[in-house]
Amino acid sequence: MKSKYLYLLIFVLIVTNIFTVFNHRKKGPRKNSDFYREIKFLKKELEFSENQIDLAKEEYKRYKNKKDSIENKFRKYDIVIMNDISVGNNNNPENMEKYYEIAKLLNKERMKHWRIIKSIANENQERKLDSIWSKAKEKITSTN
């Protein structure tokens, strides 16, 4: 009789553990994700309203789909270039040019994303965003 209760208790603990794990995974983006950090930035630094946040979330979904597609191309050329290097061909201009084009495409998409975020912002938020971008640009150019 005691073993039945023990098995029942073990079964209940396993089921609740499985439920907890799957329920935790459905809750959305993790706190260390790009999405979470971007939304947090928009709320705290730029003081976006809930309506603006909803628009920014939609834009982020569009951007993430496009970015993931471009990054898949990057992974392909990472392998191609690693193969070139492994056979001793350290300077294959055709593959390097394609890799560079993919990098430009990714940067253009990132710029488009932030332009759309800027179009969601009001005048004051646009000025804050421009100020942040200017400071970041100065910091990057001064270190080179």
Side-chain angles (χ1 to χ4, degrees), residues 9 19 42 48 56 61 68 72 96-97 102 110 117:
L9 178 65
F19 177 75
L42 295 174
F48 266 32
K61 288 177 191 173
D68 288 348
N72 283 336
M96 293 171 92
E97 184 63 31
I102 295 169
R110 189 174 293 127
I117 294 296

Side-chain angles (χ1 to χ4, degrees), residues 61-72:
K61 288 177 191 173
R62 183 210 62 81
Y63 167 67
K64 179 149 176 35
N65 287 335
K66 187 70 175 176
K67 181 181 82 134
D68 288 348
S69 169
I70 295 169
E71 286 177 345
N72 283 336

Side-chain angles (χ1 to χ4, degrees), residues 100-114:
Y100 178 70
E101 289 300 319
I102 295 169
K104 285 192 331 188
L105 188 63
L106 184 61
N107 284 329
K108 285 180 184 177
E109 194 58 43
R110 189 174 293 127
M111 287 171 39
K112 180 180 178 183
H113 169 67
W114 283 105

Side-chain angles (χ1 to χ4, degrees), residues 34-44 53 56-57 60:
D34 291 338
F35 173 79
Y36 178 82
R37 286 191 302 259
E38 184 173 320
I39 297 302
K40 185 177 175 183
F41 167 78
L42 295 174
K43 284 181 179 178
K44 279 191 165 190
I53 292 294
K57 285 178 180 178
Y60 188 83

